[in-house]
Amino acid sequence: MTLASGDPDSTEPTFRTGRRPSAICTIPTMKVTPTPTAAYLSGVVHSRRMGRTFSIGDMDPDTFSRIKNYDETVGRLDHYYGVVKRQLIANQSFMTGQFPESSAERVVSDVRTSLYCAFSIWCLHQAYKRIDDDRGKTFELGQSVVKCMRGILRSWMKQADKVERFKANQTTHNALHSKFHLVTGDEVLTCEQYNHLQIDVVSLYLLFLVQMTASGLQIVFTIDEVNLVQNLVYYVERAYRTPDFGMWQRGSKYNNGSSELHASSIGLAKSALEAVNGCNLFGDHGSSQSVVYVDIDAHNRNRTIFETLLPRESSSTSSDMALMMAISFPAFGTHDQLLYSKTKSKIVQKLRGRHGFKRFARDGFGTVLEDSSERFYKDSTVQKFERIESEWPLFYMYMIIDGVFRSDKKQVDEYKQLLRPLIHYDRRTDPTLPQYYFVPSEHLSGERAEPGSQPRFASAVGGPGDLFLWGQAMLVVTELLLEELVHINEIDLIRRYLPSYNRPRRTTRYSAFQGTASDLVVQVVLVAESRRLQAMLATYGIQSQTPKEVEPVQIWSQKQLVQVYRNLGVNWKLGLEGRPPRPIGALGTSKVYRISGQTVLCYPLIFDSTDFYLNHDMALLIDDIKSEIQFVGRYWRLSGRPTCCLIMKETHMRDTNFRKMVDLLAMLKTGSCEGVKVRVGRLQNLMSSSCTEHLDFMDAAEDWGVEPEPFRELANKTVGYQSLTDIPTATIYNETEPLTIQELQHKSDHELQHIWRGISTLRGRSYILKLLLDRHGPDYQLEGVTVHQRLVQLNSEAGTLRCWSVLRFCSSLLGRVVDSISPYLTAILVSGKQFAIGVIGQPEVVIDKPLTPAEIESLFFGSVRPLDVIQAVLQQELVLCSGRLILTRPDLFAGILTIRIGWFLQAMELYSRIEGREQPIAEMAPSEVRALLYNVLSLDSNSCNISITPRQQRQIDGCLGRSPRNLHSSVWFILGRTAGGLTIGQRHLPQSPTITDMTVGELRFAILVNDMLAQCPQPELRQIVVQLIALIATILERNPELSFRGCIELSQMVDEAHRLYLKDGGEGGTTSELDGFFQLPPSATAGYLARTVVHHLLTRPMTALDDIDATAALESAAASPQLTVETILSYPPPSLPSSDSPEPPELPATQSSSSWPGGILTEFLGTVLSEDGTT
């Protein structure tokens, strides 16, 4: 390796061949002390074979280069060893091993800073492992890392009670702390003093723990600590539904004490779960008792929610630098190139500055305007931080590391050049990095006017006297990578930076995330409940097995597997009770399990005999089987093939839809299920290619708790059925109940009991039970049997007869909740939507954060059941259906921000009547309800199959709350030109602080607009108001000199447009009845609404950029109706404010028509309306 002449202004050498990338910092020239290896260069070497001495010139050039590189490497490693000792290890607590946030801090340690400092020291430890004679430095550095990681684990072990409580209730007060006392490791700040709930910190610990354990460091010593780590896995598994305070400890960007779902937290949790799955915490010397297990379904939910949120960070934050750490180093949370590129480019576009990256837009931390004495901000505070946010050079290093991992030399060089001038040096010439750069007070106005134009000053934290340890740690990691002193594979031993299918294959007894094969085959095993059913299926060429034929393999329900998993992580000394009783999902039941010498295959949750009534619907079960197979085929990420067990019961045979089940089984036999490759076969033949999980922790379990009951074969004494025509099918039950609950509620208990003896209808009996339940409770005796027992019996009878209204009624009275509703509820929320529970005409409960199952149960049965018994369970059905649809067909919910379940039911009732169906929704089968919801949401694409009037269209769209995609940007634009804001009914949307405190693309602003529109008493009126907003925005857009001075009363404008319609001879009674107006096509209503807007601009007080020109224009317009349009539209239109959503395409002009009401807005509407009348 020879030196070449470099830049004359640079002090760094440039290498011609095999050169090492230049470092960021200028490293002082060091004299290399001769070592045994360096003796080759400093002296002469005696050759025994040749019997002579020779000089350097006699050496092989490659050997010379290798030896010289070795000495240079040792010298540079020793330099960084000195830096690490002086800057990091010098600030490490001698008792806990943890690190403070800055070197001036002497009391409080910070877990996140400690983890990055430990990682930095570990990277140098990995680099020294290349050196043959490291003089004990490798061991010393490794022990510093172990001390830090064990110190954090010890502090969390003291809070084991919080871990146990958090598994059941994910609240702030149950969160593990992220700051401790630096010396004792005890709690130092309460949850009231600091936002400790930071899921990403625990996830980062698990991620680094796996990396460091893989390198040979022994961090976990005892089984007690293994149990704690297993419970930390349970802690982060629910990240996808746990609002936390994020990486910056602020929750919402408004810093008002509220928490949010953060994509960065979920992404780190997803990565940690992948990394720790199957990891032996004792390393190569560990037994099966020290292995960590991960719920693959919990991992998949985190992955799905994380990728759904991207490129957003949260509902209040559009882009955040924390996302870079989730999609790249250290988490590498996604390998979807499109998502990665979209998120990264958005971060660079919105947050990059000349002195680093902003953490997020309107971040007040470190600015001169922030009041550091106040923990939380007041309303409208964040607006004053816009465009003057502090810039953090730390994040340049993350971009450099990202470039190194992706072999992007251009990116590395770009950010290296940006970072170099920001680095300072202390008296020892050690590099120091300021925490952030801020805009001084005298330059605030200039920076707001032209971002990036003003000078910035370095923060006090980060100087030689008060080191910013996170930044110093990452600086060392960056330098080691740039100088090739450590390879990316040496600091990412588990290859997180590679897609799972490119990582080295792990040959262990435990399942591992290895990616999905391009030709993945889902294996299907059919298990018949009886030989009679098996024989009948065989007549149709469908091969199945009975439980006896699959022996010694046992068939379990997922509930029994849940009981087994409850033994995982149990530690009574720490008060840890193992895995929470969460259901095992479709992916978890697709594995074959080895448990204490037994081989077990579980059938999915959809075959469980649950208390909820959905399992009585065969058509729904058929759809669920298809969805289950598609889901497994799409999201399987483990080594080995998934194996799905389908249970066929004799009760299925008697269902009227069993023929469809046979058709489904025949389709599976062909090897395909709606695009997914399927292989149906005998279980014994599929075992070798299945994914097998060894639950070795059960070997040491003294008590299983409840002895598992495998799926048993029914013994039939009769001969098997020959065909479907021989099977007695369930009768279709219909009844008419002359009595109503209103008539019965005035009866006494004695009278109700007398009616009970003579009544035969299910509905009438359910009414009596409901009244007795309300009066006396579930233990009241009715002819020797409690009311609760009577309800259970009636529920079972109604299920057998498929009497859906009575079945729903009884299920609601019994307080039954649909299984696994929480993940679907979360799917709705992370799709950027809310949902509202309630009955029309009554106050609704709006849900904007994930809820626990207990909270969901309280919500439906506390808020809905007192008003409508059946809707308490019917609305659960709709949440379940909506959650599934939004994951597979998000386009169906375009333009819908709040899913108002009560109004969704109203839209479905309207659509059902339009189709000519008289059957109430409560009497429909769940599969029919699901199909009806799908038809309503896809009405636009199915409009050719059904005749629908303009009013009906408005009613359905209004019930769904559907709006055009540019509605919110239009409202934002109007607010900018309307000092008094907008009003509908009693709801007022003011100009300030709305447009000063929010941004146009922010979810909170969209929710405010949606809440205002929800004040419309009729769904048709809501859609008319939406059309009016679009017209006002268009007129103001084309006339920048006009604006409204007062408040725009939207409801009043609609009333005025209706009066114009009546004046023109329109149909209708009083002016308050808008039925005839609602029947008009969009083009006609637009005409009247436009005339009303123009009238307000002509007659109401207004402001203008140029009052004289505007007044003249309006006077001229008033003199000529045709001139009104030409004048108003004669100005070049500005652009509406941009948001995160794409702008709508330019609308085509319609042909002019003299038939529009008033005859004066022809040309105007031709420029505003599309052919179907929409704006």
Side-chain angles (χ1 to χ4, degrees):
M1 183 174 62
T2 57
L3 291 175
S5 58
D7 186 346
D9 297 329
S10 174
T11 60
E12 299 177 34
T14 305
F15 300 93
R16 281 201 184 101
T17 59
R19 65 178 181 269
R20 178 181 290 122
S22 60
I24 303 170
C25 307
T26 302
I27 299 178
T29 304
M30 296 173 289
K31 181 178 180 180
V32 179
T33 303
T35 64
T37 306
Y40 263 98
L41 305 179
S42 58
V44 294
V45 180
H46 181 268
S47 173
R48 294 179 182 176
R49 187 179 55 153
M50 300 298 296
R52 68 180 182 89
T53 60
F54 60 93
S55 65
I56 293 175
D58 298 319
M59 295 179 59
D60 178 74
D62 291 337
T63 304
F64 173 81
S65 177
R66 200 161 48 244
I67 295 171
K68 179 172 170 53
N69 282 342
Y70 180 87
D71 283 331
E72 182 184 358
T73 297
V74 172
R76 298 183 83 77
L77 284 177
D78 287 345
H79 165 74
Y80 289 116
Y81 172 80
V83 172
V84 166
K85 288 277 287 185
R86 291 187 292 272
Q87 293 187 342
L88 300 183
I89 297 179
N91 292 291
Q92 185 175 19
S93 170
F94 65 93
M95 287 292 292
T96 64
Q98 299 180 43
F99 293 82
E101 194 168 333
S102 68
S103 60
E105 176 62 55
R106 291 290 182 265
V107 178
V108 181
S109 70
D110 181 71
V111 175
R112 182 182 288 102
T113 301
S114 299
L115 288 172
Y116 278 111
C117 288
F119 182 80
S120 176
I121 299 170
W122 177 71
C123 288
L124 187 58
H125 162 271
Q126 290 293 92
Y128 263 112
K129 289 172 73 173
R130 295 182 175 187
I131 306 303
D132 183 37
D133 181 18
D134 63 357
R135 300 184 295 281
K137 294 175 183 176
T138 302
F139 183 79
E140 177 193 359
L141 294 170
Q143 291 306 105
S144 294
V145 174
V146 171
K147 186 173 182 65
C148 176
M149 297 297 286
R150 288 192 55 76
I152 297 172
L153 191 65
R154 179 175 175 270
S155 294
W156 281 344
M157 188 171 283
K158 295 179 181 179
Q159 298 185 325
D161 58 323
K162 287 181 174 287
V163 177
E164 185 60 32
R165 293 199 303 269
F166 191 86
K167 292 189 298 185
N169 191 10
Q170 295 82 38
T171 63
T172 302
H173 291 280
N174 295 336
L176 286 173
H177 284 203
S178 54
K179 288 185 181 293
F180 293 99
H181 194 282
L182 190 60
V183 177
T184 65
D186 296 333
E187 298 179 7
V188 66
L189 296 171
T190 66
C191 294
E192 287 75 19
Q193 296 172 313
Y194 183 76
N195 299 327
H196 287 289
L197 180 50
Q198 301 164 37
I199 298 291
D200 67 289
V201 170
V202 183
S203 302
L204 190 65
Y205 180 86
L206 293 174
L207 191 60
F208 286 168
L209 175 65
V210 175
Q211 298 276 19
M212 294 167 182
T213 302
S215 71
L217 293 182
Q218 189 69 44
I219 296 172
V220 177
F221 288 176
T222 66
I223 292 296
D224 293 332
E225 294 170 357
V226 171
N227 292 332
L228 178 63
V229 173
Q230 180 65 64
N231 280 269
L232 292 181
V233 171
Y234 302 146
Y235 185 96
V236 303
E237 277 183 348
R238 288 279 174 102
Y240 67 91
R241 45 165 283 189
T242 305
D244 70 343
F245 292 99
M247 197 169 292
W248 315 128
Q249 309 99 47
R250 299 206 165 193
S252 163
K253 81 172 183 181
Y254 301 105
N255 192 26
N256 54 12
S258 62
S259 56
E260 290 183 325
L261 279 176
H262 288 87
S264 57
S265 297
I266 299 172
L268 275 159
K270 176 256 185 188
S271 299
L273 293 175
E274 281 185 6
V276 79
N277 182 50
C279 174
N280 196 313
L281 296 179
F282 288 171
D284 295 335
H285 307 290
S287 68
S288 59
Q289 300 305 307
S290 53
V291 174
V292 178
Y293 293 81
V294 168
D295 181 359
I296 180 178
D297 291 282
H299 163 268
N300 182 69
R301 292 186 189 113
N302 280 287
R303 186 195 60 77
T304 303
I305 301 304
F306 173 56
E307 294 182 351
T308 301
L309 278 171
L310 291 180
R312 292 190 68 92
E313 163 69 347
S314 67
S315 60
S316 68
T317 309
S318 173
S319 188
D320 195 305
M321 195 59 203
L323 287 174
M324 199 64 208
M325 288 165 256
I327 64 173
S328 183
F329 172 83
F332 300 101
T334 182
H335 293 93
D336 184 320
Q337 189 59 40
L338 181 62
L339 273 179
Y340 167 85
S341 300
K342 187 176 182 180
T343 305
K344 178 181 174 182
S345 62
K346 189 175 180 182
I347 290 171
V348 173
Q349 178 186 356
K350 293 181 176 292
L351 303 179
R352 181 172 136 171
R354 292 189 302 113
H355 297 80
F357 280 81
K358 304 174 178 68
R359 299 193 304 182
F360 54 89
R362 295 187 173 184
D363 174 24
F365 182 84
T367 62
V368 294
L369 298 181
E370 184 184 51
D371 184 357
S372 57
S373 64
E374 295 287 340
R375 181 183 173 194
F376 299 124
Y377 293 160
K378 299 177 181 178
D379 292 341
S380 306
T381 299
V382 296
Q383 190 272 338
K384 65 183 181 182
F385 305 131
E386 188 168 14
R387 298 187 176 186
I388 62 164
E389 303 92 339
S390 298
E391 294 177 354
W392 295 54
L394 162 71
F395 301 131
Y396 279 163
M397 292 184 287
Y398 279 93
M399 300 301 290
I400 293 173
I401 295 174
D402 174 69
V404 172
F405 272 97
R406 301 181 71 85
S407 300
D408 189 342
K409 186 177 183 302
K410 181 180 179 182
Q411 177 177 314
V412 171
D413 292 340
E414 177 185 2
Y415 286 99
K416 191 167 63 176
Q417 295 302 322
L418 289 171
L419 180 61
R420 183 175 285 118
L422 305 179
I423 296 176
H424 303 164
Y425 296 89
D426 62 12
R427 59 184 180 84
R428 291 178 175 268
T429 69
D430 290 342
T432 63
L433 189 70
Q435 182 179 17
Y436 56 83
Y437 283 83
F438 65 94
V439 180
S441 303
E442 60 271 20
H443 296 294
L444 291 178
S445 57
E447 182 69 13
R448 287 197 179 102
E450 188 178 351
S453 62
Q454 303 300 309
R456 287 175 177 261
F457 295 164
S459 62
V461 178
D466 189 9
L467 296 174
F468 176 48
L469 296 186
W470 184 3
Q472 297 306 128
M474 294 310 301
L475 187 59
V476 171
V477 175
T478 306
E479 292 283 7
L480 292 175
L481 286 172
L482 287 179
E483 295 198 52
E484 295 181 357
L485 296 173
V486 68
H487 192 268
I488 56 175
N489 289 341
E490 293 174 309
I491 65 172
D492 186 10
L493 297 172
I494 58 176
R495 308 297 192 268
R496 288 287 320 151
Y497 71 95
L498 294 175
S500 56
Y501 50 81
N502 282 340
R503 294 170 193 160
R505 297 290 175 177
R506 288 166 50 183
T507 55
T508 65
R509 292 167 54 83
Y510 312 102
S511 62
F513 292 96
Q514 300 288 2
T516 305
S518 57
D519 58 343
L520 177 70
V521 175
V522 178
Q523 301 179 155
V524 176
V525 177
L526 301 180
V527 178
E529 188 179 34
S530 66
R531 290 185 178 275
R532 180 169 62 180
L533 176 56
Q534 183 188 36
M536 194 279 295
L537 291 174
T539 61
Y540 291 90
I542 299 171
Q543 181 187 20
S544 62
Q545 294 176 274
T546 63
K548 287 185 178 180
E549 291 176 344
V550 301
E551 292 179 352
V553 179
Q554 296 185 14
I555 306 298
W556 285 7
S557 73
Q558 61 85 30
K559 290 182 179 178
Q560 293 167 318
L561 190 60
V562 168
Q563 293 301 320
V564 169
Y565 266 118
R566 294 201 71 170
N567 293 276
L568 180 60
V570 173
N571 191 294
W572 302 117
K573 290 187 289 185
L574 295 174
L576 300 173
E577 298 182 2
R579 183 183 185 274
R582 302 167 184 167
I584 305 294
L587 300 176
T589 56
S590 297
K591 295 190 283 187
V592 176
Y593 292 89
R594 306 277 189 182
I595 309 172
S596 297
Q598 301 180 27
T599 303
V600 174
L601 179 64
C602 292
Y603 54 82
L605 182 66
I606 58 176
F607 290 103
D608 264 348
S609 298
T610 61
D611 293 333
F612 209 69
Y613 56 84
L614 296 182
N615 64 327
H616 291 288
D617 188 354
M618 173 64 74
L620 193 67
L621 177 62
I622 294 171
D623 288 342
D624 286 343
I625 291 174
K626 294 178 182 177
S627 300
E628 193 95 350
I629 293 174
Q630 288 181 313
F631 176 85
V632 171
R634 181 178 180 183
Y635 295 116
W636 186 257
R637 295 293 185 273
L638 299 181
S639 54
R641 290 177 176 174
T643 305
C644 295
C645 179
L646 305 185
I647 299 295
M648 297 292 106
K649 298 183 179 180
E650 288 207 348
T651 54
H652 297 158
M653 298 167 56
R654 300 183 178 93
D655 195 280
T656 55
N657 289 307
F658 188 64
R659 290 179 180 272
K660 296 180 180 179
M661 175 66 78
V662 174
D663 293 338
L664 171 63
L665 299 180
M667 180 181 66
L668 296 179
K669 184 183 175 183
T670 64
S672 177
C673 178
E674 298 186 355
V676 178
K677 293 181 180 180
V678 175
R679 181 187 175 191
V680 181
R682 297 177 62 84
L683 178 57
Q684 290 81 353
N685 298 335
L686 304 176
M687 289 289 294
S688 60
S689 56
S690 298
C691 174
T692 303
E693 185 75 272
H694 295 77
L695 302 187
D696 294 332
F697 63 89
M698 290 301 296
D699 295 341
E702 299 178 359
D703 183 11
W704 281 37
V706 179
E707 189 67 24
E709 285 290 333
F711 184 62
R712 301 291 185 185
E713 179 178 334
L714 292 181
N716 297 123
K717 298 181 180 180
T718 59
V719 182
Y721 297 118
Q722 298 299 315
S723 68
L724 292 176
T725 57
D726 298 335
I727 303 174
T729 59
T731 57
I732 299 177
Y733 180 80
N734 292 308
E735 67 175 15
T736 335
E737 175 53 53
L739 294 175
T740 64
I741 195 169
Q742 288 77 17
E743 295 172 349
L744 291 173
Q745 65 184 0
H746 301 295
K747 306 288 185 180
S748 66
D749 294 348
H750 178 74
E751 291 174 315
L752 290 177
Q753 293 186 18
H754 177 73
I755 296 173
W756 173 268
R757 298 187 190 99
I759 198 168
S760 60
T761 60
L762 300 182
R763 186 176 286 108
R765 287 154 64 189
S766 68
Y767 291 161
I768 294 174
L769 292 175
K770 195 264 182 189
L771 294 173
L772 293 177
L773 180 69
D774 291 343
R775 294 177 187 179
H776 306 290
D779 297 327
Y780 181 76
Q781 297 281 330
L782 178 59
E783 296 187 345
V785 182
T786 66
V787 170
H788 180 268
Q789 292 173 328
R790 292 285 186 188
L791 278 171
V792 172
Q793 294 171 358
L794 185 60
N795 185 78
S796 177
E797 186 178 353
T800 303
L801 297 174
R802 308 297 192 266
C803 184
W804 298 110
S805 61
V806 176
L807 190 54
R808 289 186 172 99
F809 194 86
C810 293
S811 294
S812 179
L813 293 179
L814 291 169
R816 291 177 174 173
V817 181
V818 66
D819 293 312
S820 299
I821 192 175
S822 185
Y824 295 107
L825 185 153
T826 305
I828 294 173
L829 297 175
V830 300
S831 298
K833 304 185 187 300
Q834 300 180 123
F835 73 96
I837 301 298
V839 179
I840 294 178
Q842 301 295 329
E844 296 177 318
V845 179
V846 178
I847 309 302
D848 57 2
K849 292 183 179 180
L851 302 177
T852 64
E855 291 171 331
I856 294 172
E857 180 179 355
S858 174
L859 176 66
F860 283 108
F861 296 112
S863 302
V864 180
R865 188 170 63 182
L867 302 173
D868 192 313
V869 175
I870 289 183
Q871 282 206 31
V873 292
L874 192 57
Q875 292 198 18
Q876 293 183 49
E877 280 187 61
L878 258 63
V879 171
L880 185 68
C881 296
S882 300
R884 286 181 170 177
L885 278 176
I886 211 166
L887 288 173
T888 56
R889 290 291 307 277
D891 56 294
L892 295 178
F893 295 85
I896 301 175
L897 180 62
T898 302
I899 299 176
R900 304 171 70 190
I901 303 297
W903 285 99
F904 264 48
L905 284 171
Q906 180 70 14
M908 294 164 65
E909 291 277 8
L910 291 169
Y911 187 88
S912 183
R913 288 201 296 267
I914 293 172
E915 288 185 320
R917 301 173 63 176
E918 298 181 357
Q919 183 184 25
I921 292 180
E923 296 180 4
M924 295 181 184
S927 57
E928 295 176 308
V929 173
R930 181 185 292 185
L932 181 59
L933 175 63
Y934 179 86
N935 290 337
V936 170
L937 290 171
S938 57
L939 180 60
D940 292 340
S941 58
N942 294 336
S943 58
C944 57
N945 300 325
I946 184 172
S947 177
I948 188 168
T949 66
R951 180 176 186 178
Q952 291 170 336
Q953 181 71 59
R954 290 189 177 105
Q955 285 178 321
I956 292 177
D957 285 343
C959 289
L960 296 177
R962 200 183 294 277
S963 304
R965 59 181 176 179
N966 63 337
L967 171 69
H968 304 113
S969 59
S970 297
V971 173
W972 185 272
F973 183 73
I974 294 172
L975 286 175
R977 304 273 287 277
T978 307
L982 302 172
T983 297
I984 298 179
Q986 301 299 318
R987 184 61 59 90
H988 179 226
L989 184 64
Q991 182 188 64
S992 180
T994 303
I995 63 175
T996 58
D997 195 27
M998 302 181 188
T999 57
V1000 63
E1002 191 175 317
L1003 182 59
R1004 195 171 71 146
F1005 171 69
I1007 290 172
L1008 284 179
V1009 175
N1010 199 64
D1011 290 344
M1012 181 182 69
L1013 292 173
Q1015 300 304 306
C1016 297
Q1018 298 168 279
E1020 310 99 305
L1021 178 60
R1022 180 193 184 278
Q1023 297 309 102
I1024 293 292
V1025 170
V1026 168
Q1027 187 180 23
L1028 174 61
I1029 289 172
L1031 284 168
I1032 295 174
T1034 302
I1035 293 175
L1036 292 179
E1037 178 189 11
R1038 294 178 178 273
N1039 297 270
E1041 77 286 351
L1042 301 179
S1043 63
F1044 290 89
R1045 177 178 298 169
C1047 177
I1048 300 179
E1049 299 278 354
L1050 295 173
S1051 301
Q1052 180 182 341
M1053 279 192 172
V1054 173
D1055 290 338
E1056 292 178 13
H1058 179 234
R1059 286 195 290 270
L1060 290 175
Y1061 161 72
L1062 294 178
K1063 186 177 179 180
D1064 286 350
E1067 297 180 0
T1070 64
T1071 56
S1072 61
E1073 296 177 357
L1074 302 175
D1075 294 354
F1077 190 68
F1078 291 152
Q1079 288 286 7
L1080 295 177
S1083 58
T1085 53
Y1088 290 112
L1089 294 172
R1091 288 169 61 186
T1092 302
V1093 174
V1094 172
H1095 175 72
H1096 273 252
L1097 287 172
L1098 290 171
T1099 59
R1100 302 298 170 91
M1102 65 161 197
T1103 61
L1105 299 177
D1106 188 339
D1107 292 337
I1108 299 176
D1109 292 344
T1111 303
L1114 289 176
E1115 289 176 353
S1116 177
S1120 171
Q1122 182 64 27
L1123 187 60
T1124 302
V1125 177
E1126 294 177 350
T1127 304
I1128 290 179
L1129 299 179
S1130 61
Y1131 298 92
S1135 299
L1136 285 174
S1138 60
S1139 64
D1140 292 334
S1141 58
E1143 289 297 325
E1146 186 176 353
L1147 298 170
T1150 60
Q1151 296 179 354
S1152 61
S1153 171
S1154 59
S1155 61
W1156 276 322
I1160 63 171
L1161 294 173
T1162 301
E1163 185 176 345
F1164 170 70
L1165 294 177
T1167 61
V1168 175
L1169 301 177
S1170 64
E1171 294 179 358
D1172 62 354
T1174 59
T1175 56

